[in-house]
Structure formats: structure tokens, C-alpha cells
Amino acid sequence: MPLDPVHDLGLRLIKKALDEAGHKTILLPPDLSLDEILKRAAEQKHLDYILVSRTIGYGAAEILARFMDLAEATGLRKKTKIAVGGMGIDVKLAAELGFDAGFPSTTTPDQALSYIENRGRLFQNSRQTRIIRNKTDLTKGFSYKFHQDRTQQLLEDIADQILSWAKNKTSPGIERARIKEEILLCEKKGRSSDSSKIKHLRTRYLDLCDPEIAHSYLGQNLPSRTWKIPAQRVKNFQRHIRKLCSQLTLRNPIFLSQNPRLFVQIGSGSPLMDIVHMKICEAWGADGVITICPSSSARHEGLLNGLLNHEGDGTLLTFQNLLLIKKFMAKGTLWGIRAHRGLNSPEAVLYAGLAKADLTKLNFFYGSLGAGTDPARLVVDTLESIRLSAKFGIPFDVPSNDELGGIPTPMSFAGLLVMTKVALRLGAKPILKPLFCYSPWIILNEYMLDNYVDFNAAKIKALRAIVDAPLWVGEPAGFMTHTEDRIQSAVTTALHIELARSLAVQAVTIASTDEAYSRGVINLNPRLDSMKAVEATHRFLGQNQISPSPKADIWAEYLISKIDEILSSARERKDFIRCLHEGIFGGPNEGVYPGRAGRNTIREKA
Amino acid sequence: MPRVIGVVGTAKNTGKTTTILHLLRQGHIKNIPIALVGIGYDGEDIDNVTRLPKPRIFMEKGMFVATSEKCLELSTAELRVISRTGFMTPLGEVVTAKIEDPGLVVVSGPNQAVGLRGVIEEFSSTGVALILIDGSINRIIPLMEADVLVFATGASRNSDISKLTHEMKAIHEIFRLPEAPAEARLMKDANTISILSLNGEIQSIPITSIYDSQDIELLNQALRKESRYVYIPGIVSLGALKIFASEFSSRIASKAFIFPNAGHILAEGHPCDFAQLIPLLESLEIEIRILRSVPLAAVTINPFYARWSPQETKYISCAVNKKELERTMSAILPIPVFNIKEGASDRRLFELLTTSLC
């Protein structure tokens, strides 16, 4: 029965569901007095449930509480359970008001029926609500066929150059990954006889690390802004997170396990905070999470050890941090670990494999042009990382690098294609990750002067015209279109996601509304802004499409032709590392410079 | 048996929790084994409706509490569950627990009298000497299980001090209604309206409450000259009572309407109107009596109220003149009036509730 003069729609929908299930229902008209309702209830010989609909507001609580008092005074509660639902209602308020159950405005008729048919037992979490959450292989069904023979040949030749050049090369990063793999396997076996072996391996590992990293293993000071997480805090946290999970109502993934899969990037600096964010995002319909590590850790040889917090962007890539995050991850959540930037790529992919991540991220163009790593070093390390990803069977995404620097999209995409070909040659499964971003090059050339649709669509069309491969609109969607206004930021994110869905990409990544501007801790509310905006926008559009104008096709053709030119230049150069230094894939003219971290650290294998 | 004290509110944010916290503190100072039960949901940090801050409930080691299972997780105090009551709320089964380590507690106990009775019985075997029942919003029926009541009222009920105090006066008058004579108690377990005649005969009619003229007609048809007591296990609506006062007084003269307790009159929600009608009915020889009297021992006042600010689109804290409120309320009521926030260390309220039983 509605206690509200106007709003009884929710009850009508519930009545329909109950009637169809064979229950006898009476829908009272709205705006009856409490006495009239109680009299009608008293007249029923058999009345198992009363469902009250009311929008809560100041003063409404007193009315509802009075109703419950009268229900008890008149003996109604002896035979009838009474539940309340509507805007602003939740379980706690229902308890405060004295009801037997409370339902928020998002309650579906199905859920109300479940309550009735379960004889008043409340569903409050995913145990009773049917949640569809299926992991998927984003690369499944793709042939990786290059549609143009010329492009195929160009890439084959470039890949030959790269693989031939790197053939006998190794690096400290590669060596460390191999040693670490042995250490972790020994530790897993747990044999005391291996303890001296482990000690020896650790010594070799530390010899290959920067002093700052090595010292931390030896019980000396951790690097600045880094500290251990006390064991008691982890123990307390486990209790806290169990409480949190019991209070969360899981929703289905926003796109219901169809494309695109929705990822959120998380890297607060604290694995505990990351877990909280992850659980909230899972509950709100994310398909997956991407763990972001600090950009600074890409510049040190060696990864730290232990459960560690870090003050700054990104959560430290320690095996223990990753295992903790994995421990609390829901079964159906896809998990990616970033490894593309620096001196620890092979070890990062090793961790991703052993921690049972589903994805990783690699791109030697990204890390070497504008992210500070020496090109030669990063190429050698990335090839090993690709082999590891193939060994562990985890696909990796290849992010384009046209967002912050001035690298033109064609150069960036040429890089994506080179990485794709190299990956295929090594038996791995790449996912191309173009960015939907308002990048400096796009701004300068006015490609998104009056809309963000056409040029982003052109990117997808161009890549699709070149190769049959999975596409993932990468983190975050709509980058550089966000402002400090949370509403604007949420809306632009959501619309970019819908564009990506319209273009039938396989996955998308979103950030929180304050991610570009946060001056401290990433908070949950801005994170939920983006999730809710995506959910609401998708609810609006459903399966309808955002359609680009014919300009998208024109620009796609332009991109394809420029990519061809760039690949041709690279092949002609016959020295891939020189290509990176000479700016064929982006250089000083575009505002990017080859990195220097790890320079002269490659050596020939023994 | 432990002494059971109920704190009733006239609306949200009238100071029930503040009163409870004061009584808890006083009980702890005096080393009295004390238990807390709530019939709603209390202890949260912000109000469910106004989103303004609310006082948290801190409980000391050795105290007892009855709360719903899901509230155990929300509490920072370490709680050891002693018994499970089988009574369900939206937040799970109500359990009784002992505080092993002090901390904050969220209380959401049985929301009906039957559940409260069960909890009181459970606590009786634990050595608890005092049970505090924290009311919820303006609900009163479950609190009629108490031995003595405190009413918490304030500007959030009505920011007009005159109207507020007159209402409280009316409530007090209803609580002072005389108890029914012993012979009427024969009907105490009746589930429907029962009529006891002078010759000892009891007849029933198949309704529990009187809402309208249709119900009145049903009652009238059953009434005889020798009918003396009419026991109403439910309620009589204000409208029906007005009809009695104006239209059928000759039929029901020299009869007594008996309610289970004052709560069954107050639950209708119009204490001033009822209080005005009662002397009118009495003058027409229609007596209003109650089976079980629960004394209203004191009133606590809260000058705060939440006002909706359209400019800020949220509720903001406001207050009436607290001295004027206390002065006016004290002048109109024959029972003590306390402003807990002003006399935080004042023992008088606690001593009054734990020594008097009226």
C-alpha cells in the first residue's frame, strides 16, 4: 500500500510480479489514512504481508513509525509481516522504524517476490541475488590476420630486425626475473633443504639490484615514502573487509558480461586501500581491475619485497602486495598488472603469472619514448616479458603512447602494430589499446574541435581495417577531456565508454572523476561517480549506437596511410633501435626523448 | 527482576540517545549491572534521514546489550554473545551479548513488545539489575513493557514551545489515567473487544479496534444495560472517540472503556485531542481506564531541531531558546524536567528512575 499521495508505481510493478506468481494481492489506493489502512487490514481473514511504499523525508519517519506502533497495538503484527520500500529507504532505516524488512528504491519486483516466497527472509547480498560474472578471454575469436599484405610484410620485416638484434642479449632485469622465479618456486615447495639455495639465489638477485633496493632486503631502511604494513593491521583489515563485503549488495556487471568489459585502474599506494576500492568497484559492476604501480619504480633495478605501503601514485609491485590483492578479489574479476615502463618488466610479468593475474601490459615504445627507459634495454626486456606472458598464457595489452606527449596518433599506432607482430611471433596474445584522449597532437591539429566522436571512431576504424585483433579503449577513457568538476568528469567518461561500446571494442578502462586532479588520496566517492555515470548512460542508450559522421572514415584512411609511411621508414632504416632514437616513432619534434634508465646494461648472453 | 526503564521519544532527534547515554554513564559510575536494548536502530554516526551527526553509544566492559546480529560487526566494542533470542529484525536475529572490551555499539533490538519481553527475561538470569530500553522515533507500544518511562521531547517535535509543552502535558494526563478495577482484568488476555457485564458475563465482538461508525454500530449492538466494562485490546481512533462523545453517549453512559495501557491511546498520535476528550467523556459518565499503568517519571528536553535549507539543499541544526523551553515545560508539568546536556553530571534523573516506581 502506498503511504504517499502520488507514487505507487513501484507497488504496481511488485503487484504484477506477485500476481503472476500466483499470490493474492490487494493494492490499496494511495493517500489513505493510517486508520483506514489498519481497518482494511483487519478485515482480511488471511494477511501474510503488508508492503508499504513511501518516499522518506523529514516527518515521514514519524508517520511510518506511528503506523508500526498502531499495527502492533491493533494486533496486526501477530499475523502479518510488514515491509517498507521507497526512495531513501534502506535496511537500517527500516530497522529504526520497526519494520520487518526494508527495500531501497532500486529493489526489483523479482527481489520483492523473493522476499515473499522466502517467507520473509531477506536477500541482502549476492548469495541470494543471481549475479552473472564470467571471466573471459578478450583475445578469443581473433585471427590476428593483417588485411593488407603490404602491412603484413612491413611488420614481418621489422619484427625480424628486432628479434635478430635481440637474439643473444640479456639484461639485469631478465636475470633478476629468472632468479626470482627460482626463489619463489623454492619458497613454494617450502623445503628446509632449499634454504641455503634460496639464500644464494637472493644474494645473486641483490647483486643485480640498485643499492637502495638491495638495502631494503637486508633489513636496512626502506626507500623514502615507503613503509611496511604491520601484520596486526592486515589482520584487522581482514575483519574490516569481511564486514564491508557483508554490507555490499553486488550488482551485475554494467555490461552484463558482454562487450565491452569494464575495467577500473587502481593504485592508491596501499594494497589495503586498493582492495577496498576493488570490492566497491566489483559491487558496482566492474568486470576487472588494473593494478598500477608507481612510475618511479620503473627506474630502479629490482623490486622491493614484503607488504608495503607507498605514498604516491601507484601501489608497489611486490609479490606479497599482489597476493594480498588477489586473496580478496572476487572469483569472476579480471585482473591486469602493469609492466610496460621500465627496468623490471620481466619480473612484473613473472609476478603477474605466478599471482594468477589475467592480463599484463607491455609496450617498449611507451616506456622508452617519454617514460625514461633506455630503448635498447626496454626492447630486450620486453621481448623476455612477452615470452613470459606466453609461457603463463596471459594476454597483454599494448597501450598507445599518444596521450601526454606530442606523439602523433599514426606514430603511436605504428608502434602498436609492431608490438602486435612481435608478440605474435613469440606466441603471445596482444590486445591493442588505443586511447580515447584529447591529446596534444589532436589539439594542435584540431581533430576534435567540435566533437570527441569522429576522431576516436577513426582510430578504431583504422586499426580494424589493418588487423583482426582485440581492441581495448585504454586508461582512462576520455583522458584529457576531464575537468575538476565531478559531474562533467563523470559525464565525459560515460559518453566515451558508450562510444567505445558503439564501436564494439572488447574492453574499456575508466578512472575516478578526480583522478587527473587528485591532490592526495583517491577517494571512493569520485570513483563511484564514474561507475554510476557509466551505468546511467548505458541504461539510457541500451543497445543504441553513437554513430560517427563520414569524417571518421576520412580520418581513418589518413591514419592508415600515415602508419604505412612510418612502418616503411622503420623498415628502410634497418636498425630498429636507431629508429627509436631518431624519432621515427616519435622524437624531439614531437616533444619526446628516448629514455636513459638502464642504458648500457645489456650484455651478450654467456 | 531487573528494573526496566524505557526512554520514549515524541519524534526523531528529541534526545533519546543522549538520555540513554546519560543513564548508562550514571549506572556505570554506581557499578550497577546494566543492559541496553533498543527497539529501533541507534548508535550510527549520522542520522538516517537528516544526515546530521548523532551521538554514538559507548558501552563499558561488563555491560550487556541486546542487538541484531549484523550490528555486532558494526560495533567496535568486543561483544561476547550470550544467547540467541530467535526474534528477527531487518538486521538479523536479536542476540544478547556482554561487553568484553569497551567500545562503540550499534543497537537494533526487538522491534515489538513480545520480543522485548523475551529479552528482558533473558537478562533476568544474567544478574543485570537495570535494563534501559532505547525508544525509536515516536514509537511507544513496545516500551509499555517497562516499569517506568522517561519521555524525551524537544523542538524537533515542534519548535513552538507553547504547543510542545501542551502536548507533553496531555501525554502526562493520559499516563495518569486510573487503572481499571480488578474485575476488569478478567479480560486482559482477550484478543478482540470484550464486554464484561455486571453479572460477570463476558461477550466478545469480532473486532480488536474501533475505527469508524461501522465499528461503533457493531459495539452498540452488543452493549446491554448491564454491560459495565468494554475492553479494547487495540485502539479507538480519535474520530470514533469524537463520535462517542457526541452521538452515542446515552448508549455508553456508565460504561468504562479499558485499554491495555496508555500506549494504546497515545499510538493514535493526537494526545492533545485525546486529553481534551477524556474529561468530556468523563462528564458524560464514560470512563477511560487502563489495565496496566506505567508511570511517566520524568521528561528530558532537547532544544535542537533540524531545518531544511533550500539554499544549501540539506538539513541544518537549529535550536529554540533552551531556558524558555525548560522554564515553560517545568511550569506546566508536575514531574521533573531535565536538560541532560546542561546537567551532564546531574544524578537526579537516575536516582529518580531507580528509586521510584509510583
Side-chain angles (χ1 to χ4, degrees):
Chain A
M1 65 193 195
L3 278 187
D4 215 88
V6 175
H7 304 107
D8 64 349
L9 173 61
L11 284 181
R12 289 180 183 279
L13 293 171
I14 290 170
K15 176 176 167 35
K16 184 169 178 287
L18 293 173
D19 288 343
E20 284 170 3
H23 299 288
K24 187 175 170 229
T25 61
I26 303 166
L27 179 62
L28 297 183
D31 210 20
L32 294 179
S33 71
L34 299 184
D35 288 344
E36 286 171 309
I37 294 164
L38 289 162
K39 173 124 195 220
R40 290 286 296 268
E43 286 166 355
Q44 307 304 314
K45 255 195 192 143
H46 213 77
L47 184 61
D48 297 309
Y49 292 93
I50 294 177
L51 305 180
V52 176
S53 168
R54 173 76 207 205
T55 298
I56 203 66
Y58 205 69
E62 279 79 0
I63 297 172
L64 289 168
R66 175 155 297 116
F67 175 69
M68 293 312 288
D69 237 11
L70 288 167
E72 187 170 357
T74 57
L76 180 61
R77 295 196 78 171
K78 284 183 193 168
K79 62 173 184 174
T80 307
K81 284 208 183 300
I82 309 177
V84 63
M87 291 291 284
I89 302 286
D90 63 11
V91 161
K92 291 176 188 172
L93 187 57
E96 186 176 3
L97 297 167
F99 282 82
D100 294 302
F103 298 96
S105 59
T106 51
T107 301
T108 63
D110 240 358
Q111 288 169 329
L113 177 63
S114 169
Y115 169 69
I116 301 290
E117 293 190 336
N118 281 301
R119 281 178 273 154
R121 280 198 298 278
L122 282 171
F123 57 88
Q124 284 188 347
N125 54 45
S126 64
R127 287 198 295 273
Q128 287 117 327
T129 307
R130 196 168 151 255
I131 297 290
I132 311 159
R133 184 176 279 276
N134 299 319
K135 276 200 189 188
T136 191
D137 178 357
L138 295 174
T139 66
K140 193 175 173 184
F142 289 94
S143 68
Y144 290 100
K145 182 177 178 325
F146 289 87
H147 301 302
Q148 297 293 327
D149 290 340
R150 178 180 157 74
T151 312
Q152 157 85 358
Q153 194 58 55
L154 282 169
L155 290 167
E156 284 285 355
D157 293 343
I158 295 169
D160 282 339
Q161 291 171 18
I162 295 169
L163 294 170
S164 166
W165 171 82
K167 194 173 175 189
N168 284 320
K169 292 183 172 57
T170 187
S171 76
I174 293 172
E175 296 300 314
R176 281 198 307 277
R178 290 188 183 148
I179 296 167
K180 186 60 73 75
E181 188 173 9
E182 277 196 73
I183 293 173
L184 292 174
L185 282 170
C186 281
E187 284 175 350
K188 194 176 174 187
K189 284 178 193 164
R191 294 196 300 233
S192 57
S193 56
D194 287 335
S195 61
S196 62
K197 183 180 177 188
I198 292 173
K199 201 172 165 189
H200 172 69
L201 288 166
R202 207 168 269 150
T203 305
R204 281 177 52 205
Y205 179 86
L206 295 180
D207 285 343
L208 294 165
C209 292
D210 281 349
E212 195 182 35
I213 304 293
H215 289 159
S216 70
Y217 277 80
L218 299 170
Q220 295 167 22
N221 289 338
L222 287 166
S224 67
R225 306 200 306 166
T226 304
W227 60 94
K228 270 194 176 137
I229 304 174
Q232 185 59 40
R233 186 171 303 169
V234 178
K235 201 172 156 200
N236 294 343
F237 174 78
Q238 297 193 85
R239 203 159 46 111
H240 168 75
I241 206 73
R242 271 199 296 272
K243 262 193 227 179
L244 172 68
C245 290
S246 70
Q247 288 161 18
L248 287 172
T249 302
L250 280 195
R251 298 157 183 261
N252 271 314
I254 291 174
F255 297 106
L256 283 178
S257 298
Q258 304 296 315
N259 288 340
R261 297 307 175 109
L262 180 68
F263 285 79
V264 289
Q265 60 184 44
I266 297 178
S268 64
S270 162
L272 304 184
M273 177 80 85
D274 285 356
I275 290 165
V276 172
H277 279 245
M278 175 178 73
K279 299 318 290 181
I280 298 290
C281 288
E282 284 172 346
W284 276 85
D287 293 287
V289 298
I290 299 167
T291 297
I292 308 288
C293 56
S295 42
S296 58
S297 64
R299 300 193 184 206
H300 297 293
E301 299 274 11
L303 293 175
L304 291 167
N305 192 52
L307 279 174
L308 299 175
N309 273 341
H310 167 254
E311 187 187 330
D313 68 303
T315 297
L316 287 167
L317 211 57
T318 72
F319 197 53
Q320 293 81 358
N321 278 357
L322 293 176
L323 289 181
L324 188 66
I325 292 169
K326 178 68 177 177
K327 183 176 169 181
F328 290 96
M329 196 172 286
K331 230 167 125 187
T333 298
L334 289 162
W335 186 27
I337 295 174
R338 185 167 83 172
H340 67 301
R341 286 190 177 198
L343 303 175
N344 302 295
S345 296
E347 204 170 342
V349 178
L350 172 74
Y351 281 179
L354 294 178
K356 306 249 186 291
D358 302 286
L359 300 146
T360 185
K361 185 201 290 282
L362 298 164
N363 185 352
F364 47 59
F365 292 95
Y366 197 115
S368 63
L369 301 173
T373 309
D374 172 62
R377 168 63 187 270
L378 194 55
V379 168
V380 166
D381 278 9
T382 302
L383 295 180
E384 175 70 7
S385 302
I386 294 174
R387 288 189 194 96
L388 282 169
S389 80
K391 170 181 158 177
F392 287 113
I394 51 176
F396 65 91
D397 64 82
V398 189
S400 66
N401 58 345
D402 53 343
E403 85 280 31
L404 283 174
I407 292 183
T409 302
M411 285 184 178
S412 178
F413 279 19
L416 290 194
L417 295 166
V418 168
M419 279 291 304
T420 301
K421 176 52 76 172
V422 167
L424 294 170
R425 289 279 291 269
L426 295 176
K429 294 185 187 177
I431 303 165
L432 282 72
K433 193 175 247 181
L435 296 186
F436 280 5
C437 65
Y438 193 36
S439 67
W441 179 75
I442 284 172
I443 294 170
L444 284 168
N445 290 280
E446 298 182 348
Y447 288 125
M448 291 186 182
L449 202 54
D450 67 351
N451 70 79
Y452 295 136
V453 173
D454 288 328
F455 199 83
N456 282 324
K459 290 181 175 185
I460 302 300
K461 285 171 179 281
L463 288 173
R464 225 173 241 146
I466 294 172
V467 62
D468 177 35
L471 299 177
W472 179 341
V473 168
E475 42 273 13
F479 193 41
M480 304 293 283
T481 68
H482 306 94
T483 68
E484 290 193 60
D485 183 303
R486 278 167 62 175
I487 295 175
Q488 183 277 342
S489 191
V491 169
T492 192
T493 292
L495 290 171
H496 278 89
I497 296 306
E498 282 301 316
L499 174 61
R501 180 191 59 77
S502 300
L503 294 165
V505 303
Q506 278 56 59
V508 291
T509 311
I510 61 173
S512 63
T513 52
D514 69 354
E515 205 130 343
Y517 298 95
S518 174
R519 293 177 181 88
V521 173
I522 303 287
N523 290 308
L524 277 171
N525 282 339
R527 188 172 290 291
L528 285 178
D529 289 345
S530 304
M531 303 281 318
K532 289 184 199 175
V534 170
E535 185 185 49
T537 311
H538 186 57
R539 178 64 183 86
F540 179 81
L541 282 173
Q543 294 305 313
N544 290 292
Q545 307 293 307
I546 297 176
S547 301
S549 79
K551 263 192 188 166
D553 292 310
I554 297 169
W555 279 329
E557 287 300 323
Y558 163 75
L559 287 173
I560 293 167
S561 76
K562 294 306 273 186
I563 290 168
D564 186 273
E565 283 175 26
I566 293 160
L567 293 175
S568 296
S569 298
R571 184 177 64 176
E572 288 315 307
R573 195 58 188 82
K574 289 189 170 62
D575 182 334
F576 182 71
I577 302 300
R578 287 236 62 84
C579 288
L580 294 175
H581 281 279
E582 289 174 2
I584 289 178
F585 292 94
N589 286 343
E590 289 78 34
V592 292
Y593 298 84
R596 290 182 293 181
R599 185 176 285 181
N600 302 321
T601 56
I602 301 171
R603 58 180 178 77
E604 294 291 319
K605 285 180 198 168
Chain B
M1 281 287 280
R3 170 70 58 91
V4 183
I5 300 171
V7 179
V8 185
T10 54
K12 272 181 81 62
N13 306 127
T14 50
K16 292 183 293 298
T17 308
T18 303
T19 304
I20 287 284
L21 289 173
H22 172 79
L23 295 172
L24 271 176
R25 264 195 311 273
Q26 292 297 314
H28 177 66
I29 289 168
K30 290 180 187 304
N31 273 325
I32 292 175
I34 194 164
L36 175 64
V37 191
I39 64 165
Y41 179 83
D42 207 351
E44 74 277 27
D45 51 355
I46 55 169
D47 187 271
N48 278 321
V49 174
T50 65
R51 318 310 287 171
L52 291 169
K54 292 205 70 177
R56 308 296 302 273
I57 298 179
F58 186 88
M59 294 189 78
E60 300 283 359
K61 182 175 173 169
M63 289 183 175
F64 293 83
V65 68
T67 191
S68 302
E69 264 187 301
K70 287 210 173 352
C71 297
L72 296 173
E73 303 163 356
L74 302 172
S75 305
T76 64
E78 198 175 312
L79 300 162
R80 177 170 58 86
V81 174
I82 301 168
S83 69
R84 312 186 75 86
T85 66
F87 195 83
M88 300 301 291
T89 76
L91 292 164
E93 186 180 2
V94 175
V95 300
T96 61
K98 188 171 183 181
I99 314 295
E100 297 291 356
D101 226 18
L104 297 171
V105 173
V106 177
V107 182
S108 182
N111 54 30
Q112 294 181 56
V114 59
L116 207 46
R117 271 198 296 277
V119 163
I120 292 169
E121 267 175 44
E122 288 282 347
F123 279 136
S124 301
S125 60
T126 58
V128 159
L130 187 62
I131 300 175
L132 301 176
I133 309 177
D134 185 10
S136 175
I137 308 184
N138 55 0
R139 289 166 54 216
I140 187 165
I141 295 294
L143 283 118
M144 301 311 294
E145 296 299 314
D147 297 318
V148 64
L149 292 176
V150 176
F151 255 75
T153 191
S156 65
R157 167 68 182 147
N158 197 327
S159 56
D160 182 327
I161 292 177
S162 173
K163 287 184 180 165
L164 186 68
T165 51
H166 277 95
E167 180 188 67
M168 199 58 236
K169 182 168 183 272
I171 290 172
H172 179 252
E173 282 170 11
I174 290 168
F175 267 91
R176 285 183 62 205
L177 284 168
E179 283 190 345
E183 61 264 31
R185 290 175 201 280
L186 289 171
M187 298 182 287
K188 72 177 173 58
D189 294 324
N191 289 323
T192 58
I193 293 178
S194 304
I195 304 165
L196 175 65
S197 301
L198 289 168
N199 59 11
E201 191 188 320
I202 297 177
Q203 56 180 140
S204 301
I205 57 175
I207 52 174
T208 60
S209 302
I210 299 173
Y211 294 106
D212 53 22
S213 41
Q214 190 184 29
D215 298 326
I216 292 172
E217 185 52 33
L218 205 57
L219 174 63
N220 268 337
Q221 282 170 12
L223 284 174
R224 305 277 177 265
K225 206 168 153 202
E226 56 274 14
S227 303
R228 177 70 182 100
Y229 301 111
V230 180
Y231 176 63
I232 300 157
I235 62 161
V236 176
S237 73
L238 181 63
L241 214 51
K242 284 179 178 172
I243 295 173
F244 278 124
S246 62
E247 290 180 22
F248 294 99
S249 53
S250 58
R251 293 295 299 267
I252 57 170
S254 303
K255 311 282 186 277
F257 281 11
I258 301 171
F259 295 89
N261 52 55
H264 281 246
I265 297 171
L266 289 169
E268 256 285 278
H270 304 283
C272 294
D273 293 328
F274 268 101
Q276 274 179 358
L277 274 174
I278 287 168
L280 179 59
L281 290 165
E282 300 267 349
S283 72
L284 298 170
E285 294 180 36
I286 303 162
E287 295 170 1
I288 306 293
R289 298 288 181 264
I290 51 179
L291 271 190
R292 179 174 173 260
S293 179
V294 180
L296 169 52
V299 168
T300 62
I301 52 171
N302 181 4
F304 153 87
Y305 64 101
R307 183 171 61 84
W308 177 254
S309 166
Q311 296 88 348
E312 295 173 73
T313 58
K314 63 176 185 179
Y315 286 99
I316 56 175
S317 263
C318 299
V320 299
N321 185 309
K322 59 188 175 198
K323 291 233 180 294
E324 189 193 337
L325 175 60
E326 187 169 353
R327 193 175 50 242
T328 313
M329 193 70 77
S330 297
I332 208 167
L333 289 176
I335 54 176
V337 174
F338 297 91
N339 182 340
I340 297 291
K341 285 276 183 135
E342 296 290 298
S345 59
D346 195 331
R347 300 187 307 260
R348 288 181 297 150
L349 175 62
F350 187 82
E351 284 168 4
L352 176 72
L353 295 170
T354 52
T355 55
S356 77
L357 234 192
C358 185

